[in-house]
Every structure is written in C-alpha cells, then in structure tokens.
Amino acid sequence: MNKQPGRPKGVRNLKPSQETVRSYYRLLQAKADQGDANAAGWLLQLDLTDQQKKETAQ
C-alpha cells in the first residue's frame, strides 16, 4: 500500500490544466457551430453558471 501523499507516480492529475479546459471549450464551440444541440446547450449552461458566479462574487 502506498502511504505517500499526493498522486502515484505516472498517474495523470485529476484536475485538468487551464489549457486542457480551453481546448474543451473550443471543441464544444466547434461542435455547436456544426449544429450539435447538446454542445450548444452545454455552452449556454457554462455561460449561465459563470455569470451567476460573477454576480455572487460582487
């Protein structure tokens, strides 16, 4: 059993990097532009969540 703190050697981080998240947004946008309603819906949901977070922070 590994009792070392942190993630095991060779295992990827659970939290994606900022660049990875940006690439996911670009992928969603590309799919939405191609007519994927699910991708468009997720973009709308993410935008709404972001707006609510900004309003709460003020």
Side-chain angles (χ1 to χ4, degrees):
M1 181 184 305
N2 185 2
K3 295 189 179 192
Q4 297 286 332
R7 63 182 166 85
K9 189 173 185 175
V11 176
R12 295 179 62 166
N13 289 328
L14 293 177
K15 183 178 179 183
S17 67
Q18 288 181 348
E19 180 56 38
T20 301
V21 171
R22 282 192 291 270
S23 73
Y24 292 157
Y25 271 96
R26 288 191 298 268
L27 177 61
L28 277 174
Q29 185 65 58
K31 293 296 183 181
D33 290 345
Q34 293 172 2
D36 185 330
N38 190 32
W42 274 106
L43 285 172
L44 290 171
Q45 182 61 46
L46 290 168
D47 183 60
L48 179 61
T49 303
D50 189 47
Q51 287 177 15
Q52 290 172 341
K53 188 174 12 173
K54 287 178 183 177
E55 289 173 2
T56 304
Q58 291 178 355

